[in-house]
C-alpha cells in the first residue's frame, strides 16, 4: 500500500502543475496588456494635418469655425435672395420691352428706335452670375464629407465673394454712367425713358394742382400702360445691386477672417509639434 501511494503521488503532483490558470491570473494578464497598449495620437480639428494644438485651442477653433460657417451660409442665402429679386425686376423690364417693341417700319412706336438696353442687361447678367456662383458654394458646403473642409470652404467662399464684388462694382458703374442721356451719350435707357413719362406726368399733375390749373382728365395726366411699374422696377433693381455689393463686401470680410483663422491655427499646431520634438 505504501508503494502504491508513493507511486501515485508524482502523478497527483503532475496533475496539479497542469491545472489551468485561475480567473485571478487571467485578470492580471488582461490588466497588464491593457496598460501596455500604445495610445493613439491626439485627434486634431483638421484631419489633413498630423499636428495638433492644445485641447483648449482646438475647441476654440472648432467653435469659431462653426460660427464662420453659419455666417457664410447666412450671407449666401441673402445674396441668392437679393440676386433673384434683381433678376426678377430687370427681367420683367426686358420682357415688357420685348413684348411691346415694334420694328422700324412702324411710324408710331412706344419705345425709341435707338434705346439703350445695356444698363438693364448688365444688371440682369451680373445678378445671374452671382446667383450661380452662390448656389455653387451652397451646394458644395452642404455636401457631407468625413474630412474637415474648412480651408476649402474659405477659398470657395472667398472666390465667390470676389466674383460678386467685381460684378457688382462693374454693373453699378456701368448702369449709372449710361442710364441718363448726356452730352457724350445721347440715348435713353429703359429706366430714363419710362421714368421720364411717369415722373413727368406726376410732376405735371402736382404743378397743375398747385397752380390751380384746370385739367380736364379724371385721373390726371395719362401715363403709358405699365410705365410707372417699369420705372419703379428699374430703380429698385439698381438699389438691389447696391445691396448685393454690400453683402459681397461682408462676404469678403468673413472669408478673410476665416483664412486668417486657419493660418493662425496652423501656426499653433506647427509650434506645438516642433516644441514637442525639442523636448
Amino acid at each position: 500500500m505504501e508503494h502504491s501511494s508513493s507511486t501515485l503521488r508524482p502523478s497527483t503532483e503532475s496533475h496539479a502543475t497542469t491545472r489551468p490558470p485561475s480567473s485571478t491570473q487571467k485578470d492580471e494578464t488582461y490588466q497588464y496588456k491593457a496598460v501596455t497598449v500604445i495610445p493613439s495620437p491626439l485627434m486634431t480639428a483638421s484631419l489633413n494635418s498630423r499636428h495638433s494644438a492644445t485641447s483648449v485651442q482646438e475647441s476654440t477653433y472648432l467653435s469659431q469655425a462653426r460660427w464662420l460657417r453659419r455666417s457664410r451660409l447666412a450671407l449666401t442665402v441673402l445674396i441668392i435672395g437679393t440676386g433673384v429679386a434683381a433678376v426678377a425686376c430687370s427681367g420683367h423690364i426686358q420682357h415688357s420691352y420685348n413684348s411691346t417693341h415694334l420694328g422700324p417700319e412702324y411710324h408710331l412706336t412706344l419705345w425709341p428706335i435707338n434705346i439703350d438696353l445695356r444698363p438693364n442687361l448688365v444688371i440682369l447678367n451680373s445678378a445671374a452670375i452671382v446667383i450661380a456662383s452662390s448656389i455653387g458654394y451652397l451646394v458644395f458646403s452642404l455636401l457631407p464629407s468625413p474630412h474637415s473642409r474648412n480651408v476649402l470652404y474659405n477659398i470657395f467662399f472667398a472666390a465667390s465673394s470676389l466674383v460678386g464684388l467685381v460684378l457688382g462694382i462693374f454693373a453699378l458703374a456701368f448702369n449709372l454712367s449710361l442710364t441718363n442721356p448726356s452730352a457724350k451719350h445721347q440715348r435713353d435707357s429703359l429706366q430714363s425713358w419710362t421714368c421720364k413719362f411717369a415722373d413727368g406726368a406726376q410732376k405735371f399733375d402736382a404743378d397743375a394742382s398747385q397752380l390751380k390749373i384746370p385739367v380736364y382728365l379724371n385721373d390726371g395726366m395719362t401715363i403709358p400702360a405699365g410705365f410707372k411699374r417699369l420705372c419703379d422696377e428699374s430703380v429698385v433693381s439698381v438699389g438691389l445691386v447696391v445691396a448685393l455689393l454690400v453683402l459681397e463686401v461682408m462676404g469678403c470680410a468673413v472669408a478673410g477672417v476665416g483664412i486668417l483663422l486657419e493660418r493662425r491655427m496652423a501656426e499653433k499646431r506647427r509650434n506645438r509639434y516642433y516644441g514637442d520634438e525639442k523636448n
Side-chain angles (χ1 to χ4, degrees), residues 79-158:
I79 289 172
I80 292 175
T82 307
V84 168
V87 168
C89 291
S90 56
H92 180 259
I93 297 171
Q94 192 66 35
H95 175 71
S96 299
Y97 170 78
N98 294 334
S99 301
T100 57
H101 172 65
L102 300 177
E105 64 273 10
Y106 294 91
H107 299 287
L108 184 60
T109 60
L110 189 62
W111 306 94
I113 297 176
N114 63 340
I115 192 169
D116 196 353
L117 304 177
R118 292 176 297 173
N120 185 66
L121 290 177
V122 72
I123 293 179
L124 180 63
N125 296 328
S126 299
I129 296 174
V130 170
I131 292 172
S133 62
S134 299
I135 290 177
Y137 168 76
L138 186 63
V139 172
F140 176 71
S141 63
L142 294 179
L143 289 176
S145 174
H147 304 289
S148 175
R149 298 190 297 189
N150 290 328
V151 177
L152 293 178
Y153 291 154
N154 286 323
I155 294 175
F156 203 157
F157 186 74

Side-chain angles (χ1 to χ4, degrees), residues 192-267:
S192 64
W193 184 253
T194 54
C195 292
K196 184 183 296 184
F197 283 91
D199 297 341
Q202 291 179 352
K203 188 175 184 303
F204 175 80
D205 292 336
D207 293 342
S209 176
Q210 184 178 2
L211 297 174
K212 297 182 180 181
I213 299 175
V215 178
Y216 300 99
L217 295 172
N218 295 329
D219 298 328
M221 181 63 69
T222 304
I223 304 174
F227 269 36
K228 181 66 171 64
R229 178 182 176 181
L230 295 178
C231 174
D232 294 338
E233 286 179 343
S234 60
V235 174
V236 169
S237 64
V238 177
L240 290 172
V241 172
V242 176
L244 271 178
L245 196 58
V246 174
L247 291 174
E248 296 295 353
V249 170
M250 295 174 62
C252 291
V254 171
V257 172
I259 294 174
L260 184 62
L261 176 64
E262 293 294 335
R263 293 185 61 181
R264 288 181 177 178
M265 197 61 200
E267 184 178 358

